[in-house]
């Protein structure tokens, strides 16, 4: 049974609430932001756009590191804003870590949403003791990517997904409970075990995904993660999607290689969960959850306030795939 302090759950949204659109990393065209804002209005929310959200700086950043940090801090500290949606990832979120006081997250609890490079910020938020959402970003909301955007909207208004995913040959059966953490492996392994990590008294369920890396690089990153993270606290693992991977080692799949890393751990493992650069079903990071893996399915349940809605997911369901990889 999971034991540990209760992380802060930001309030769910109500019709008419403000939602900020910011760009902590790479720039996106103004058209995509305006389209995302229109979708938020259709959700009966009020979009507000950060001053530098559509700025284009050198190296594709949305402004300087100070400007991007100022936008995020503005959205965090304005208590009339109830959620923050990142426009896209790419690279650059790590520049903001030492520019945003970690206590700001807990002092102004609100949902922050993103994935890919935004993993860095999600990790800091979860480490501060607050929940956040690893999910679709503004450029994906603008494209009405389903069902990820609908599930995100439901979460924001208080309906939580219970995911049921079809079995996978590499799965390991079992039951686990803990705080959900993780995200993009390159971003996550860089800061795992630092001051931003969650309380050492908390068990965790780890999830990871990756895009455009080689097996060699993923192997090295996972070794780094095992050195930096106390895996005695890891009670279950979810492997997401691994997209555009270069196979430069003698393994048939990323999952086969990573399972070999974990031969010494008797924990449940779910493979093929549709979360990553090309598929971004929302996951609530920093939330206590349970993972149940059997031979024919895996079930992920969030044990927090809110109503539950089951989602049955087939590994080959094309509706779950977000076409294109721009903006990971």
């Amino acid at each position: 049974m999971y034991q540990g302090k209760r992380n802060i759950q930001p309030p769910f949204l109500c019709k008419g609430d403000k939602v900020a659109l910011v760009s902590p990393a790479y720039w996106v065209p103004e058209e995509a932001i305006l389209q995302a804002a229109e979708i938020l209005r259709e959700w009966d929310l009020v979009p507000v756009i950060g001053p530098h959200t559509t700025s284009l700086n050198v190296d594709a950043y949305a402004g300087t590191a100070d400007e991007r940090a100022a936008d995020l801090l503005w959205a965090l500290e304005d208590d009339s804003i109830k959620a923050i949606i990142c426009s896209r990832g790419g690279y650059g979120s790590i520049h903001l870590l030492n520019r945003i006081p970690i206590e700001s997250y807990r002092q102004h609890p609100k949902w922050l949403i993103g994935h890919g490079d935004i993993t860095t910020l999600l990790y800091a938020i979860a480490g501060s003791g607050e929940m956040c959402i690893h999910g679709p970003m503004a450029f994906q909301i603008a494209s009405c990517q389903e069902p990820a955007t609908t599930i995100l909207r439901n979460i924001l208004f208080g309906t939580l997904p219970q995911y049921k995913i079809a079995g996978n040959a590499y799965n390991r059966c079992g039951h686990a409970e803990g705080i959900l953490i993780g995200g993009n492996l390159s971003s996550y392994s860089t800061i795992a075990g630092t001051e931003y990590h969650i309380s050492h008294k908390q068990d965790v369920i780890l999830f990871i995904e990756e895009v455009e890396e080689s097996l060699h690089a993923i192997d090295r990153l996972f070794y780094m993660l095992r050195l930096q993270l106390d895996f005695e606290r890891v009670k279950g693992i979810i492997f997401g999607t691994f997209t555009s991977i270069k196979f430069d080692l003698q393994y048939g799949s990323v999952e086969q290689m990573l399972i070999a890393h974990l031969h010494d751990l008797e924990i449940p493992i779910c493979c093929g969960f549709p979360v990553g650069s090309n598929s971004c079903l929302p996951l609530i990071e920093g939330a206590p959850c349970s993972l149940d893996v059997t031979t024919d399915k895996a079930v992920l349940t969030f044990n927090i306030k809110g109503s539950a809605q089951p989602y049955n997911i087939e590994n080959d369901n094309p509706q779950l795939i977000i076409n294109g990889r721009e903006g990971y």
Side-chain angles (χ1 to χ4, degrees):
M1 177 67 69
Y2 164 74
Q3 297 291 334
K5 71 177 183 180
R6 183 176 297 276
N7 284 17
I8 294 175
Q9 179 178 343
F12 293 124
L13 274 58
C14 299
K15 291 182 178 180
D17 280 345
K18 292 181 182 179
V19 176
L21 297 170
V22 299
S23 298
Y26 277 179
W27 162 88
V28 290
E30 183 178 16
E31 179 182 2
I33 293 298
L34 295 178
Q35 289 174 343
E38 184 58 31
I39 296 296
L40 292 179
R41 292 188 189 97
E42 293 176 6
W43 294 359
D44 292 317
L45 298 170
V46 178
V48 289
I49 300 173
H52 302 95
T53 300
T54 59
S55 297
L56 176 58
N57 197 18
V58 294
D59 299 321
Y61 296 126
T64 67
D66 286 338
E67 289 170 341
R68 288 178 278 129
D71 279 11
L72 181 56
L73 197 57
W74 154 75
L76 281 171
E77 294 183 342
D78 186 337
D79 290 330
S80 71
I81 293 173
K82 304 303 181 183
I84 304 169
I85 299 177
C86 299
S87 66
R88 66 161 292 177
Y91 180 69
S93 297
I94 197 168
H95 302 157
L96 277 57
L97 284 187
N98 62 358
R99 291 174 165 87
I100 303 292
I102 196 166
E103 61 270 14
S104 295
Y105 301 116
R106 288 183 65 90
Q107 290 173 352
H108 306 275
K110 61 191 67 178
W111 297 106
L112 185 139
I113 302 103
H115 68 273
D117 183 70
I118 306 300
T119 291
T120 303
L121 298 176
L122 300 176
Y123 187 71
I125 293 170
S128 76
E130 184 186 351
M131 300 177 199
C132 50
I133 299 174
H134 182 282
M137 295 182 282
F139 83 98
Q140 293 160 321
I141 293 172
S143 301
C144 299
Q145 303 290 357
E146 296 295 349
T149 53
T150 293
I151 297 175
L152 173 61
R153 181 192 63 196
N154 290 344
I155 292 174
L156 291 176
F157 283 104
T159 300
L160 311 176
Q162 182 191 58
Y163 293 120
K164 297 181 180 180
I165 181 171
N168 185 289
Y170 291 110
N171 281 0
R172 286 186 183 174
C173 298
H175 171 82
E177 297 184 19
I179 297 292
L180 187 67
I181 60 170
N184 176 261
L185 179 60
S186 295
S187 301
Y188 178 62
S189 61
T190 304
I191 60 173
T194 66
E195 62 179 304
Y196 298 100
H197 195 56
I198 67 171
S199 168
H200 291 287
K201 297 179 181 180
Q202 294 176 307
D203 293 336
V204 302
I205 293 177
L206 173 69
F207 76 97
I208 62 170
E209 55 84 14
E210 191 51 87
V211 58
E212 293 188 342
E213 288 287 359
S214 65
L215 283 184
H216 184 94
I218 293 173
D219 184 68
R220 180 178 64 252
L221 290 168
F222 203 78
Y223 266 112
M224 286 175 54
L225 191 60
R226 289 215 62 174
L227 290 170
Q228 294 171 324
L229 185 64
D230 179 7
F231 263 70
E232 289 186 0
R233 301 166 56 203
V234 177
K235 303 304 179 182
I237 296 178
I238 297 170
F239 289 134
T241 60
F242 297 91
T243 308
S244 302
I245 302 301
K246 178 183 178 182
F247 283 78
D248 56 353
L249 294 177
Q250 296 303 309
Y251 289 97
S253 68
V254 177
E255 291 83 357
Q256 183 185 38
M257 181 182 72
L258 294 178
I259 289 292
H261 274 280
L262 302 167
H263 68 277
D264 58 320
L265 300 180
E266 296 182 358
I267 59 175
I269 299 174
C270 168
C271 296
F273 193 96
V275 58
S277 67
N278 287 346
S279 50
C280 56
L281 289 187
L283 296 176
I284 306 173
E285 283 207 61
C289 63
S290 58
L291 175 66
D292 291 280
V293 183
T294 62
T295 55
D296 61 340
K297 68 177 182 298
V299 180
L300 178 65
T301 304
F302 297 100
N303 302 317
I304 60 176
K305 295 178 181 178
S307 59
Q309 180 173 352
Y311 285 91
N312 293 311
I313 303 164
E314 298 296 332
N315 286 329
D316 59 352
N317 185 346
Q319 289 185 317
L320 296 177
I321 302 303
I322 291 182
N323 297 321
R325 52 161 296 279
E326 181 183 358
Y328 67 93

